[in-house]
Amino acid sequence: CGKKHLCTVDSYIIEKGAIKKLPEFIKRYDAKKAFILADVNTYPQAGDKICALLDGCGVGYSKYVFSQKSLEPDEYSVGSAVMHFDASCDIIVTVGSGVLNDISKILATVADRPYIVVGTAPSMDGYASNSSSMVRDGLKISLPSKCPNVIIGDVDILKTAPEHMAKSGLGDMLAKYI
């Protein structure tokens, strides 16, 4: 395509219980306080577990949980994430997949912070992408953004993704193949 594509993912892990290694990854970046970003769908899947892990290892955190059941990757969502971002946080940890990952990649770019994504759906192929699929002025576009530094895929979490997400992931793969 003529464009230069870089992937700056430092680490990734996909296994049962992978979420337990989150504090170790946070400490690799000498982070003392994490900003946890999730939504009302993904927070129950892993947000409580992440907060308990961080409490147990002495890593502070702030969090923002989007209240919308159907979150759009648009100016409103990015602005909301930026406005709720706690500048005393030195790392971003997102609990989610497609939309949350895209919003977080933009936030990590703007805030210039390392970024860890804890995936909640196996049906998405953009975890390691250096662009974000966003809606700007009502038009779907790709914006350059920061790749996550770490991708955590805990099989125990990924297998709980709703069935409709697996079906949409299949649709994405078929569309790319064609």
Side-chain angles (χ1 to χ4, degrees), residues 89-143:
C89 294
D90 44 13
I91 196 163
I92 297 167
V93 177
T94 294
V95 184
S97 56
V99 172
L100 280 160
N101 187 49
D102 286 335
I103 292 168
S104 297
K105 288 190 283 184
I106 298 290
L107 177 62
T109 301
V110 171
D112 194 27
R113 300 293 198 281
Y115 165 50
I116 298 173
V117 61
V118 177
T120 57
S123 56
M124 196 270 295
D125 67 352
Y127 284 114
S129 170
N130 69 345
S131 65
S132 293
S133 295
M134 304 300 291
V135 177
R136 182 175 68 192
D137 298 328
L139 181 66
K140 190 81 162 198
I141 61 167
S142 290
L143 290 176

Side-chain angles (χ1 to χ4, degrees), residues 46-171:
D48 288 330
K49 293 174 189 160
I50 289 172
C51 291
L53 279 168
L54 298 183
D55 285 336
C57 70
V59 174
Y61 60 88
S62 291
K63 65 182 176 185
Y64 177 61
V65 179
F66 286 99
S67 61
Q68 302 92 322
K69 279 199 94 49
S70 181
L71 188 62
E72 291 295 322
D74 58 14
E75 302 98 327
Y76 175 81
S77 298
V78 171
S80 189
V82 169
M83 291 184 74
H84 286 91
F85 179 69
D86 179 347
S88 70
C89 294
D90 44 13
I91 196 163
I92 297 167
V93 177
T94 294
V95 184
S97 56
V99 172
L100 280 160
N101 187 49
D102 286 335
I103 292 168
S104 297
K105 288 190 283 184
I106 298 290
L107 177 62
T109 301
V110 171
D112 194 27
R113 300 293 198 281
Y115 165 50
I116 298 173
V117 61
V118 177
T120 57
S123 56
M124 196 270 295
D125 67 352
Y127 284 114
S129 170
N130 69 345
S131 65
S132 293
S133 295
M134 304 300 291
V135 177
R136 182 175 68 192
D137 298 328
L139 181 66
K140 190 81 162 198
I141 61 167
S142 290
L143 290 176
S145 58
K146 179 181 180 23
C147 292
N149 296 85
V150 177
I151 301 168
I152 297 176
D154 188 319
V155 175
D156 296 322
I157 295 166
L158 294 170
K159 72 182 181 183
T160 66
E163 185 177 328
H164 73 274
M165 292 187 78
K167 289 177 182 175
S168 67
L170 174 62

